[in-house]
Amino acid sequence: MRCSSRFPVGAALLTAGGEIFSGCNVENACYSLGVCAERTAIQKAISEGHTRFRAMAIASDMADFITPCGACRQVMREFGTDWDLYLTKPDGTYIVKTLQELLPLSFGPEDLQKA
Ligand code: THU
């Protein structure tokens, strides 16, 4: 299987219990059906019963730090705002941002309780 966008991404999600779930972007000939590496990892973890997360590392072969798309940030936010995202470069360097930093003033499940 190839990455039709030629933009392969990998993600590794660390749960509160110390388990690691990895994911890659899964693309489709119908482009809009593709899913990002980050959401693949989250869906694998959720489907195995893990809902509390400590950190996620994201990697690509881009020269610059890889950063998650807006849709992934919102999906991550469903599980809290105080966990860490490691944004990496192929040379092994990285920066760490909290989800709060990447998605300030976010809407989440708590807001539904206000209705
Ligand atoms: N992609 C990810 O998997 N994660 C990101 O953080 C950015 C983009 C994927 C989606 C698509 O398969 C390809 O990269 C090009 O956008």
Side-chain angles (χ1 to χ4, degrees):
M1 202 191 307
R2 73 199 172 92
C3 187
S4 55
S5 69
R6 299 177 197 277
F7 199 95
V9 182
L13 177 63
L14 177 65
T15 70
E19 301 89 348
I20 293 174
F21 289 86
S22 63
C24 66
N25 47 336
V26 181
E27 299 189 329
N28 193 283
C30 181
Y31 297 146
S32 61
L33 297 181
V35 64
C36 294
E38 295 90 328
R39 275 177 283 159
T40 301
I42 289 173
Q43 286 163 7
K44 282 172 68 177
I46 298 292
S47 66
E48 296 296 327
H50 302 271
T51 55
R52 291 174 49 238
F53 305 130
R54 262 196 256 166
M56 179 184 278
I58 310 166
S60 79
D61 54 13
M62 255 198 340
D64 210 348
F65 296 109
I66 176 81
T67 65
C69 76
C72 285
R73 294 177 199 208
Q74 183 65 39
V75 169
M76 291 168 182
R77 191 264 169 265
E78 189 75 6
F79 308 99
T81 55
D82 65 345
W83 47 295
D84 296 325
L85 283 302
Y86 287 72
L87 314 178
T88 75
K89 280 197 221 180
D91 66 5
T93 58
Y94 60 88
I95 52 176
V96 187
K97 298 280 182 194
T98 64
L99 198 49
Q100 173 63 30
E101 290 175 295
L102 292 183
L103 194 67
L105 295 175
S106 63
F107 180 83
E110 305 82 10
D111 294 298
L112 293 176
Q113 308 308 319
K114 297 174 187 166

